[in-house]
Amino acid sequence: MHYNQKDLLKLAKRYQNSKRSYLLVNPLQAKHLAVSPEKSLAMMETFGKMLYQNHPEAKLIIGFAETATAIAAAAAVQFPEDACFLHTTREFLSGECLNFKEEHSHAVEQRLYLSRSEERRV
């Protein structure tokens, strides 16, 4: 399936948000706007196929922050079994991690745990 900018990008007004009053929204992401699961999953599958086509050598797929973890997980399915999928979390877990700050987000702090026990295969 082919998508264009009009399919994947909308401008939305945010109310009562002091960090930013507007947001760019992917209407097929299934976060800010209602969408059929079939349309959302089809977009994620297409994204995964495009990523694999452009980067077949990739061995690590990282889902960063909240809904993007679901998109990355669905995209990672398009990669071979030897590719690894990891995702960030706001949770405090045991083990070594990298810390990220996404200061414009309501979920400012994200962690990527590095131990194999935190690894997730999709």
Side-chain angles (χ1 to χ4, degrees):
M1 180 169 250
H2 175 75
Y3 297 94
N4 61 44
Q5 184 176 339
K6 288 179 80 174
D7 297 324
L8 300 176
L9 196 59
K10 305 285 184 201
L11 182 63
K13 171 75 173 129
R14 300 183 81 185
Y15 295 97
Q16 300 177 347
N17 186 307
S18 60
K19 292 186 179 184
R20 55 188 170 157
S21 59
Y22 289 91
L23 181 66
L24 294 174
V25 173
N26 178 340
L28 297 178
Q29 185 178 4
K31 179 174 181 171
H32 299 95
L33 301 170
V35 63
S36 78
E38 292 84 10
K39 288 181 179 180
S40 186
L41 290 170
M43 181 269 301
M44 293 176 202
E45 179 181 338
T46 300
F47 178 58
K49 288 178 179 176
M50 180 191 74
L51 285 174
Y52 181 65
Q53 182 178 28
N54 290 319
H55 303 285
E57 74 288 353
K59 298 297 180 201
L60 176 62
I61 298 96
I62 299 175
F64 188 89
E66 299 184 343
T67 308
T69 62
I71 294 171
V77 172
Q78 304 305 316
F79 284 77
E81 292 273 331
D82 64 342
C84 179
F85 168 71
L86 297 174
H87 62 84
T88 63
T89 181
R90 290 188 276 168
E91 300 297 322
F92 290 98
L93 304 171
S94 63
E96 187 179 358
C97 70
L98 297 174
N99 293 299
F100 297 90
K101 292 205 182 265
E102 189 179 15
E103 294 178 357
H104 67 276
S105 173
H106 71 280
V108 173
E109 294 186 18
Q110 294 286 323
R111 290 163 199 80
L112 178 64
Y113 285 89
L114 304 175
S115 66
R116 297 203 51 89
S117 63
E118 299 301 326
E119 183 177 309
R120 304 288 189 257
R121 268 303 300 157
V122 289

